[in-house]
Amino acid sequence: MTLLGRTRARGVETLTLDSPDNRNALSAALVGELTDALADCAKDAGVRAIVLTHTGNTFSAGADLRDPPPPDALVALLRQIVELPKPVVARVTGHVRAGGLGLLAACDISAASLQATFAFTEVHIGVAPAVISLPLLPRTDPRALARYYLTGERFTAPEAARIGLLTTAGEDVDEALTPVLDGLRRASPQALAETKTLLTAKVLEAFDRDAADLTALSARLFSSDQAHEGMTAFLERRDPAWVV
């Protein structure tokens, strides 16, 4: 059973995360399908840009705790989005948590409806937003990240746009994206690829410098006693032992 829908209209390929039963959590299977689809789009001259969206009320709940992808697979997916020679646009009409925020930050343009909410929930299960920091830290307001990384608070789409996580937020996300997609369709493929190279240079520097260390940190934290307690508590719908 496929976890990813694919459609195309006027050169824009829409990839739809379609695993609503687990809130589009980033399982090993979903990460694999998305990786393959993006590779196909990169090679297809008929694709001018990619829209990444979702079914259900959640864009992505982050890593699938029952079937997590290897940390290096998630790093590879985030880098693939950043390096893809075609623009990747996130379209969000639901909630985004933890690793799902890394997908948004890796995209070139991200738009959300006002119904969307966001949270870095890693601290609540005993881990840290390690790997997803690779695209997040170069693109997002550092003081805001300090607050939301450390507290796990939920925040709104307008706040996400204010801090640089989103490009835009509005009542109708498709209305907000209409001029964006029109502009991409009118742009030269060569110009898009070279312009994206200019825009992503600093992000790729972070991958080159920090990916190995952050992958190791993620693996160490996920195998820790506190992470085991945190994930068990989450699955059992109770507070972990450290809550005071």
Side-chain angles (χ1 to χ4, degrees):
M1 182 182 70
T2 183
L3 303 176
L4 190 72
R6 296 182 66 170
T7 59
R8 188 180 303 183
R10 294 179 54 213
V12 175
E13 185 91 356
T14 297
L15 305 179
T16 303
L17 305 180
D18 189 19
S19 182
D21 289 347
N22 69 349
R23 301 190 302 151
N24 293 315
L26 297 173
S27 63
L30 180 55
V31 167
E33 285 194 35
L34 183 54
T35 297
D36 291 344
L38 288 167
D40 289 345
C41 290
K43 295 180 291 186
D44 190 337
V47 176
R48 183 65 49 82
I50 298 100
V51 170
L52 182 61
T53 189
H54 61 100
T55 60
N57 67 359
T58 303
F59 175 79
S60 178
D64 187 340
L65 299 183
R66 299 183 188 275
D67 179 29
D72 57 348
L74 183 55
V75 170
L77 173 60
L78 296 177
R79 181 161 193 150
Q80 181 184 27
I81 294 171
V82 174
E83 283 189 318
L84 206 78
K86 302 175 183 186
V88 183
V89 179
R91 175 191 175 275
V92 179
T93 60
H95 310 303
V96 194
R97 299 291 183 265
L101 295 163
L103 289 181
L104 293 190
C107 290
D108 303 287
I109 298 169
S110 297
S113 70
L114 298 183
Q115 288 70 47
T117 67
F118 308 82
F120 296 98
T121 52
E122 289 89 345
V123 290
H124 292 165
I125 62 166
V127 298
V131 165
I132 64 171
S133 288
L134 292 165
L136 276 159
L137 289 175
R139 287 178 159 168
T140 313
D141 177 77
R143 298 299 287 175
L145 280 187
R147 172 178 177 174
Y148 295 123
Y149 268 24
L150 291 169
T151 67
E153 293 171 84
R154 280 184 291 180
F155 53 99
T156 65
E159 173 69 353
R162 184 191 72 81
I163 68 175
L165 177 64
L166 293 177
T167 308
T168 187
E171 188 63 48
D172 185 333
V173 70
D174 293 313
E175 182 177 308
L177 283 176
T178 294
V180 172
L181 297 181
D182 285 348
L184 295 176
R185 287 182 171 113
R186 292 177 64 85
S188 142
Q190 171 183 274
L192 288 176
E194 295 297 339
T195 302
K196 180 164 176 174
T197 298
L198 293 174
L199 292 168
T200 57
K202 293 294 185 185
V203 182
L204 291 173
E205 284 179 12
F207 275 85
D208 291 339
R209 183 184 63 241
D210 300 327
D213 288 344
L214 291 178
T215 300
L217 173 62
S218 179
R220 176 171 64 80
L221 290 175
F222 269 94
S223 65
S224 68
D225 290 342
Q226 287 192 25
H228 180 266
E229 165 61 11
M231 289 186 282
T232 300
F234 175 81
L235 295 172
E236 293 178 353
R237 299 181 182 276
R238 61 173 175 82
D239 284 340
W242 60 73
V243 172
V244 294

